[in-house]
Amino acid sequence: MDLPVDEWKSYLLQKWSLLPKSIQVSISTAETLSDIFLHSSSLLQSEDEMFLKRLSRDYLVAKDPDAPLFYREEGNKKFQDKDYMGAIVLYSKGVSHSRPNTEDISLCYANRSAALFHLGQYETCLQDIIRAQTHGYPERLKPKMMLRKAECLVTLGRLQEASQTISDLESNLAAKPTLAASQFKIIQKTLCRLKMKVQEKENLTETSPAAPTKAFENMDLREKNEQISSATSSVNLCSDPLKGRYLIATKDILPGELLVREDAFVSVLNPGEMPPLHYGLDSKWDTRVTNGDLYCHRCLKRALATVPCDGCSYAKYCSQECMQQAWDLYHSIECSLGGLLLTLGVFCHIALRSTLLARFEDVGKVIRKLRGDISNKDICLPESKNLVQTFSDDLGGESEKNDKTVETPIPGCDINGKYENNYNAVFNLLPHTEKHSPEHKFLCALSVSALCRQLEAASLQTLTTGSKPSQPKAAVAPALCQELHIWGVAMLRHMLQLQCNAQAITTIQQTGSKENIITNSKQVRLATGIFPVVSLLNHSCSPNTSVSFISTVATVRASEQIGKGQEILHCYGPHESRMGAAERQQKLRSQYFFDCTCPACQNEKHRTTTGSRWEAFCCNRCRTLMQGDDVLSCGNTSCAEAISRDHLVSQLQDLQQQVKMAQKLLRNGKLEQAIQLLLGCRYDAESFLPVEHSVVGEIEDDLAQAYAALEDWQKSAAHLQKSLQVVEVRHGPSSVEMGHELFKLAQIFFNGWPCGLG
């Protein structure tokens, strides 16, 4: 997903293995990104490009004129089964494949409006009705849709508009009586009912409730930081030769205090499972739901009714405004490259989009900086001299001004020492060029080179054919291509940066059946982005902050008390509550190129052989934790109990099988049987597992679910509270996992309140 598809990776790795040793050495020992790019791109042959094009064609991103009918019919099946959400997704896929101002797109919008109406999404339903009308919805079908519009307006209390819609429909029916008698009677009856509703509502004096504020979503930073954009005054930026850049607390910080609220400089939606054509599918049109169907490709907000790009079937947006902004900023160039970008992976896509966004800051300034950095090998390596080139605001300024350099203490800051969310900050994130393997650099360089060739071809085509009136920004590609080598090196830099600096943008999604009274949830990766300020945070396996996301905005809060002068720390993924020290070190070393020496890792070196309580065994006699390697003995010196580890591991595996059987019964609705089996598992676990063991927590959680399904809220709450104890021991009181469990407990208390629970 992040890197190119496996077929392209294998192809290039084989190409690398067949290169003469001298060329491999030249690329491996190249001191600058420019040299790596030049050496590698010169090896890209026409047959390589043809192979990549074949891979790219497997992704259905162009508009297929036969697809709208297929998706509309599939959506109709879902609609008839009253699966309105499923129908909406399929109608949206039909919309994406339809050309503007065609009957196909108008029918898909109209059908989607019907599904939205049944879900009670009246405002969104009205928007789709307007879209259907705008794209030429057939006159013969309009009466039914106009009735739906009137129903929405009445329900929303927009009575004047509802009356006008009813009046217009009556006039149209009188002027063009083309409906069958049975249909005419149904419509007349519905119109009479709606008019009565309007009169009833007009006779009532209603007070509309105030619209809920979006305080959390629109929350601004208090006491803004003058040195670091998107940060509060509670933090300060420092630099150290060994640690690099980092943030410290300027005062004592309380748990929950907001530290950073930053919008991504660039983000790309993760496509999810998008199988190439003919890969085990019954049809070439995929009906499965992916992130790309549910979220806006620009702002990443959940979108119930997406608006498609006019040029491709892949990009979808929450509104016309988001679609236009994306087009103006980057999609005018990306649109024709959809299949190629999916083949080359998210990192390559972000690299391209970052350079496209750089154009809007100051093209001349950016190009001069890139030229200067390409010619200076030190800038491309971590041990840079911290020199920032300053440029005249006037692009035609004197050369001596442009050559002037000033020493700044921290890379990424401007000449006034301010660190902002801009391309300068992004460019100065470390690529760790010398730490990546030669094969990886070759893969990235040739992928970027292939992308540049396609940009060049698209530029020539634009110059030859001219841009369409509906695509006014398509002609910016030639400007990019005039400095294609420079932009290519910049994209290569960004691809290498992303391994250490990419931020997974996550969201919470519900799991399990929609019918469940108590819902489970999980954190899923929605997109990948670059956050220059968040990237300043160093790693700890036991961090003092937590990061959350609303669309493209990252919010960093203190998860515990942080003293003045203490470093602000973030977890890069390997957390002490989710991985052992050895696994964490291996992950950090392979992806981030460092060995972690945080207190959690240091403490774990001195931890006894009992291991973590959530994965340890306990004595059957006295319940003390067992210690040892192959043969475990009781940690209580007065107890002589001893047993082989293999025996206990085998016992644990048998227990886990029993738990899986109980979970299957639970999914199939066989609640009493599931409860009996789980209670048996719980009894067996008591003989060799501590109460904090993760499997014990899993059993308690399953019992809570089963009793909730039977509406025995008291027993459900009792079991979930025991599960909470396990989660707190393993993940900590401020963890996301703890939040999920507390939310489930809140649902139980809410449902059980009428019965006296709580």
Side-chain angles (χ1 to χ4, degrees), residues 385-447:
K385 293 181 179 176
N386 294 340
L387 295 179
V388 175
Q389 185 81 31
T390 59
F391 304 100
S392 169
D393 290 333
D394 176 12
L395 295 184
E398 297 92 339
S399 59
E400 56 268 23
K401 258 189 176 181
N402 292 336
D403 291 334
K404 182 184 176 184
T405 59
V406 294
E407 190 168 351
T408 60
I410 299 175
C413 294
D414 63 18
I415 56 174
N416 298 313
K418 185 167 185 180
Y419 189 90
E420 297 188 89
N421 181 313
N422 59 18
Y423 187 71
N424 181 48
V426 170
F427 189 84
N428 278 280
L429 296 174
L430 293 179
H432 296 290
T433 310
E434 79 291 354
K435 293 179 181 177
H436 291 282
S437 69
E439 293 87 349
H440 181 72
K441 288 184 279 195
F442 183 70
L443 168 67
C444 293
L446 255 69
S447 297

Side-chain angles (χ1 to χ4, degrees), residues 30-93:
E31 294 187 333
T32 68
L33 285 170
S34 180
D35 289 341
I36 294 169
F37 184 72
L38 280 174
H39 284 309
S40 301
S41 59
S42 65
L43 300 170
L44 185 68
Q45 305 298 316
S46 57
E47 57 265 28
D48 304 330
E49 293 182 76
M50 290 303 297
F51 179 76
L52 183 59
K53 282 181 181 177
R54 284 198 298 272
L55 292 177
S56 303
R57 288 193 198 107
D58 283 342
Y59 290 94
L60 185 59
V61 293
K63 291 185 183 293
D64 187 331
D66 297 324
L69 176 60
F70 168 80
Y71 284 121
R72 198 165 69 246
E73 289 176 345
E74 292 296 311
N76 291 344
K77 292 175 188 175
K78 295 279 187 183
F79 188 93
Q80 288 162 7
D81 293 338
K82 294 183 168 44
D83 180 3
Y84 300 118
M85 193 65 226
I88 285 171
V89 171
L90 291 167
Y91 291 142
S92 295
K93 286 177 181 285

Side-chain angles (χ1 to χ4, degrees), residues 651-694:
Q651 201 174 341
L652 177 60
Q653 289 171 345
D654 291 342
L655 178 64
Q656 289 171 320
Q657 286 299 318
Q658 292 293 306
V659 172
K660 284 181 181 177
M661 288 172 60
Q663 290 169 341
K664 186 175 181 181
L665 291 169
L666 195 57
R667 287 193 299 271
N668 294 334
K670 298 177 180 179
L671 302 176
E672 296 291 353
Q673 290 175 258
I675 288 172
Q676 290 306 311
L677 185 52
L678 286 167
L679 289 172
C681 291
R682 186 185 179 205
Y683 178 80
D684 292 341
E686 288 174 354
S687 66
F688 70 106
L689 298 179
V691 293
E692 300 92 347
H693 197 282
S694 58

